[in-house]
Amino acid sequence: MTVCILGAGGWGTALAAMLGLHGIESVLWARRPELAAELEQMRENRSYLPGVRLPPAVTVTSDLSAALSDQAWALLTVPSVGIPELLENLPRELGVVLCAKGLAPDGDRLSRLAQQMGFGRVAVLSGPNHAEEIGLGLPAATVIASSDAEWAAQVQAALMTPSLRVYTSPDVVGVELGGVLKNVIALAAGLIDGLGLGDNAKAAVMTRGLREMGHYLEAQGAQAQTVYGLSGLGDLVATAGSVHSRNRAAGEAIARGEHVQQGGKVVEGIRTAGLLNTWAQSHGHELPIVRAVARVVAGDCTPTQGVAELMGRRAKEEG
């Protein structure tokens, strides 16, 4: 069996490299022919994942039809903003595993977008999975969520290796949205780091941020316990504390007054913060950390003012 990976950024490259380390064949599709040629020749993605070698088991192509040949399902590893266009170009009978941790342009879930577009088999993959570590074959765990338990088990078996433990879940909503919200909380943690406010403040932001994540997940119909799993708490711990985290690093840079250049490496939390804040305001929900981050990244207040607003909220019980 050959695993099909659509998207040759850091995450797609890491998955291909990890599978190849264990002798599992994969085809890695790059949208740009020049990137595909570079990867095929250099066997390294110097733009998105330098230092990780692509084993011989990885085939690279920019021909989408060739990548999909005889494939029953594919991992979609492009950023969330690129998912709608990619879905438009895929056959509807293909099973799609969404690996982006972001929302559709209208703020809806990407999995629901795929279903509305006519895809019958839709799953999401999420967890504390930094590409820099996955690509090197360091131990990690992730979650594949789908309403089709049999298909989820097939994807699980295809991706399970000695360095990647794959769990399944029926809670598509919870697993998908946990990965989405933790990016915003990681941005907040980065702002705390950049302002030099210490470990106590960062721990408070992460803990109360997890509460906001759970509140939003439940409002969207997710299972309450999912927020405490790999795609919620696990991913938050990794993203809010790691040197590999784009979202945490972006928050730190913003706190220092620097302009965050998205470039080819997308910081999902920047766009997501505004979408989530709009949802909270329109539906009458309190997501104070999300609101503060959204205001900071939009330039409506400074990071220091955002922290002051959070600290100045009315007294309440912790629950």
Side-chain angles (χ1 to χ4, degrees):
M1 175 184 175
T2 300
V3 176
C4 179
I5 302 171
L6 303 180
W11 188 209
T13 302
L15 285 170
M18 183 276 298
L19 292 170
L21 285 173
H22 301 290
I24 301 172
E25 293 186 350
S26 67
V27 55
L28 178 63
W29 173 78
R31 180 177 58 84
R32 293 184 289 115
E34 60 271 22
L35 176 58
E38 177 186 330
L39 294 179
E40 190 63 42
Q41 178 182 3
M42 305 301 296
R43 308 304 295 176
E44 180 184 0
N45 195 333
R46 296 183 177 179
S47 298
Y48 298 102
L49 197 64
V52 173
R53 300 291 298 173
L54 288 177
V58 180
T59 301
V60 186
T61 183
S62 60
D63 186 332
L64 185 58
S65 297
L68 295 174
S69 179
D70 298 322
Q71 297 290 343
W73 57 272
L75 296 162
L76 277 58
T77 62
V78 300
S80 59
V81 292
I83 290 291
E85 181 182 355
L86 180 55
L87 288 173
E88 286 284 0
N89 291 289
L90 298 179
R92 298 307 188 259
E93 64 271 16
L94 183 75
V96 292
V97 182
L98 303 167
C99 303
K101 297 174 181 178
L103 296 171
D106 63 355
D108 203 353
R109 291 184 289 111
L110 292 171
S111 63
R112 183 146 53 195
L113 172 65
Q115 291 168 340
Q116 292 171 344
M117 293 176 68
F119 289 89
R121 290 185 301 164
V122 179
V124 296
L125 182 74
S126 192
N129 305 143
H130 287 304
E132 294 83 356
E133 297 180 3
I134 296 290
L136 294 174
L138 298 179
T142 196
V143 183
I144 174 84
S146 174
S147 59
D148 185 334
E150 183 177 348
W151 178 49
Q154 293 175 9
V155 178
Q156 176 189 40
L159 300 181
M160 191 90 133
T161 72
S163 65
L164 183 64
R165 183 164 180 79
V166 183
Y167 292 85
T168 61
S169 170
D171 188 8
V172 176
V173 177
V175 170
E176 181 174 13
L177 292 180
V180 171
L181 265 80
K182 61 85 188 179
N183 285 329
V184 181
I185 307 305
L187 264 172
L191 289 168
I192 295 297
D193 286 341
L195 292 172
L197 298 182
D199 295 336
N200 293 339
K202 187 171 180 178
V205 160
M206 291 175 64
T207 305
R208 295 305 299 174
L210 184 68
R211 180 71 185 90
E212 290 189 26
M213 290 169 61
H215 179 78
Y216 181 73
L217 263 62
E218 289 184 47
Q220 298 298 318
Q223 297 175 9
Q225 70 269 23
T226 300
V227 75
Y228 301 107
L230 289 168
S231 63
L233 176 59
D235 206 359
L236 175 61
V237 169
T239 310
S242 174
V243 294
H244 299 309
S245 171
R246 298 174 193 169
N247 290 279
R248 190 208 60 78
E252 188 173 349
I254 292 170
R256 293 195 300 261
E258 300 173 10
H259 177 68
V260 177
Q261 293 284 352
Q262 290 264 28
K265 297 183 177 181
V266 176
V267 181
E268 292 277 14
I270 290 179
R271 186 177 71 94
T272 302
L275 292 171
L276 291 174
N277 187 48
T278 298
W279 173 87
Q281 290 181 324
S282 62
H283 289 80
H285 287 269
E286 262 196 293
L287 299 177
I289 296 175
V290 169
R291 180 178 183 274
V293 172
R295 281 172 44 75
V296 169
V297 298
D300 295 334
C301 72
T302 66
T304 300
Q305 289 170 335
V307 172
E309 289 178 6
L310 287 173
M311 295 300 292
R313 297 177 68 240
R314 64 177 178 81
K316 57 183 293 187
E317 291 184 354
E318 183 183 26

